Amino acid sequence: METLKTAPITINPTEGQTLSVVGDNYRILISGKQTNGAFAVIDMLVPPNGGPGPHAHAGFDESFYVIDGEVEVKSEAGTYIAKKGAFVNIPKGGIVHCFKNKTDTLAHLLCTVTPAGLEEMFLEIGKPVDAGTFLPPPPMDEESIKKLITVVEKYGQKVYPPDFLG
């Protein structure tokens, strides 16, 4: 009996859907639909002052490799400055965390989530853009915040106030 072999998945530098999410630029390199839900990989460009606010997710691991630049990673366990070449893993369990680019240059991160699913949330809350196009973060009025909370909770996440981690 012959075993079925799956072909490699390749993504050219200009392929993969690019989204504006909270002012950042996220390109989905591989989605859960392509990996049977095992994992997803997202190429993240985070401009100065960019990055998501405090949030938590108990159901998946989220890992970042800093390709270029640096981000400040805060969690309930403390603060870490992740510079070029650094690796950060947010394990399953739901620790509250966030990251922010506090420099004046672009930060470039490679994010892997296991299992997949985070990319589906980005597809729902983000706006498709051309690669390298940065949109300002959307205004966060009361209605927008309620809508965002509804969407992120659908994907197993919880958001916290911007000052939650100090």
Side-chain angles (χ1 to χ4, degrees):
M1 180 181 234
E2 193 173 315
T3 304
L4 294 177
K5 296 179 182 177
T6 304
I9 298 169
T10 58
I11 304 295
N12 290 326
T14 57
E15 293 179 320
Q17 183 158 13
T18 301
L19 305 162
S20 176
V21 179
V22 299
D24 299 345
N25 195 294
Y26 296 171
R27 180 169 67 116
I28 300 170
L29 299 178
I30 191 165
S31 71
K33 290 177 182 168
Q34 296 167 290
T35 66
N36 293 321
F39 67 95
V41 179
I42 302 140
D43 186 19
M44 299 178 157
L45 296 176
V46 183
N49 298 311
H55 62 282
H57 36 76
F60 62 87
D61 283 270
E62 181 178 35
S63 297
F64 300 97
Y65 176 76
V66 182
I67 296 170
D68 203 12
E70 70 178 55
V71 291
E72 178 185 74
V73 180
K74 283 187 172 183
S75 76
E76 294 172 278
T79 300
Y80 174 70
I81 303 300
K83 297 182 179 187
K84 181 179 180 175
F87 180 81
V88 176
N89 175 254
I90 309 297
K92 288 181 185 176
I95 192 166
V96 179
H97 64 285
C98 64
F99 65 85
K100 186 169 187 87
N101 179 352
K102 290 191 160 188
T103 73
D104 60 359
T105 60
L106 189 69
H108 188 183
L109 312 174
L110 191 62
C111 173
T112 303
V113 292
T114 309
L118 182 64
E119 77 285 6
E120 294 295 328
M121 184 191 78
F122 291 153
L123 285 165
E124 189 164 338
I125 66 172
K127 181 174 181 176
V129 293
D130 292 331
T133 300
F134 291 88
L135 301 178
M140 283 289 143
D141 56 27
E142 193 173 325
E143 185 178 322
S144 298
I145 292 170
K146 284 181 183 177
K147 182 180 177 187
L148 179 66
I149 289 171
T150 299
V151 173
V152 300
E153 286 178 350
K154 179 170 102 175
Y155 291 95
Q157 296 204 59
K158 183 170 181 180
V159 293
Y160 293 84
D163 60 352
F164 185 83
L165 293 170

